[in-house]
Amino acid sequence: MISRLKSTFSSAWGVMRRHPVVSALYALVLLFGIAMGIIMGLPLPVVGVTLVVIVAALLATWGRTGAGPGFAIGSLVVSGLVVVGLIQLVPYGRDRTQPPITGEPQWASAETRTLMVRACYHCHASEVEYPAYASIAPSSWAVQSHIAGGRSHVNYQQFATNPGNADETIRVIRDGSMPPAYFTRFGLNPEAALTDEERATLIAGLEKTPGMSGGD
Ligand code: HEC
């Protein structure tokens, strides 16, 4: 067992040394994938497991066949597609049951509500709109975990029965921690990215909305 592992490693290492450019490119693609996973807000264990699967597939093909990198990369692409296909069967992220709506805050104006819906209701409401990328794993898992996490802190459509952390609303908008940076990066969900002016308008409205800051 150990000696087989050893020979797998040394023959994979041999292929990598014979094809340094392809190997370096491959490593770059891997790093890019990890960075994307983290930026998207995927949980770290998911990124870690994916990485292990990819490296194991690489070792298995490069180590066993001793074939050139073309073959190894071809089989990696195929195994990657199989993995992506299989993870679609995981039910997490498919359940879109809405929690009941019990009553929103008394927003100072219609504009205050509109801005809140644009920037916050993707994750802090009962009626959430799912982005297109929420239909495919693993990004569907990321979306599901953001919505579950967001609702558990505050669901503005259940404010009447459970205000949660609503009293932190003004603070998180002012310090820029909400909406989370990963949500609007790379032009994703552009409607959620508020301009400085919209942010100021929103805060002014929230200051006149009961329950939105600790000072009330
Ligand atoms: C992409 C999903 C998402 C969006 C959009 C979003 N949030 Fe959040 N929010 C979260 C998550 C997840 C948490 C849990 C804390 C964390 O993991 O950062 C959270 C936490 C919070 C908290 C609790 C923070 C604390 O320190 O107690 C408040 C208040 C909040 N969000 C308000 C807002 C407001 C206001 C907006 C709009 C300007 C907004 N959020 C937009 C996902 C989101």
Side-chain angles (χ1 to χ4, degrees):
M1 175 67 197
I2 301 244
S3 70
R4 244 188 82 191
L5 252 179
K6 257 188 166 164
S7 76
T8 299
F9 267 103
S10 67
S11 104
W13 179 237
V15 179
M16 285 183 221
R17 273 211 318 215
R18 264 177 282 134
H19 305 282
V21 176
V22 178
S23 304
L25 276 180
Y26 187 78
L28 271 181
V29 170
L30 262 189
L31 283 179
F32 178 75
I34 300 171
M36 284 302 292
I38 294 172
I39 288 169
M40 256 169 49
L42 270 187
L44 276 183
V46 175
V47 177
V49 168
T50 314
L51 192 68
V52 168
V53 169
I54 292 174
V55 170
L58 183 76
L59 280 177
T61 47
W62 289 22
R64 184 141 336 137
T65 65
F71 178 83
I73 288 178
S75 42
L76 268 180
V77 169
V78 172
S79 60
L81 288 178
V82 170
V83 169
V84 169
L86 285 178
I87 64 176
Q88 307 309 320
L89 302 176
V90 176
Y92 181 75
R94 298 222 169 275
D95 181 10
R96 296 187 174 183
T97 321
Q98 270 187 21
I101 297 174
T102 62
E104 300 198 11
Q106 292 179 312
W107 303 115
S109 70
E111 190 185 25
T112 309
R113 182 174 193 276
T114 305
L115 288 170
M116 285 296 291
V117 170
R118 267 178 50 196
C120 318
Y121 273 36
H122 297 271
C123 307
H124 293 289
S126 297
E127 293 173 305
V128 296
E129 252 186 55
Y130 289 83
Y133 57 79
S135 302
I136 306 165
S139 51
S140 57
W141 302 342
V143 171
Q144 178 68 29
S145 85
H146 300 157
I147 294 174
R151 280 178 181 157
S152 76
H153 281 75
V154 48
N155 176 342
Y156 291 102
Q157 292 186 311
Q158 294 190 331
F159 179 80
T161 47
N162 176 20
N165 293 53
D167 58 351
E168 298 286 338
T169 304
I170 294 181
R171 182 183 62 76
V172 295
I173 296 175
R174 194 168 269 149
D175 71 18
S177 58
M178 289 286 147
Y182 59 72
F183 193 61
T184 51
R185 210 171 265 149
F186 306 126
L188 280 179
N189 308 293
E191 75 288 353
L194 302 177
T195 63
D196 289 347
E197 208 185 322
E198 287 169 336
R199 197 180 296 267
T201 310
L202 177 56
I203 290 175
L206 290 171
E207 278 165 349
K208 294 190 211 118
T209 304
M212 294 300 115
S213 73
D216 284 326

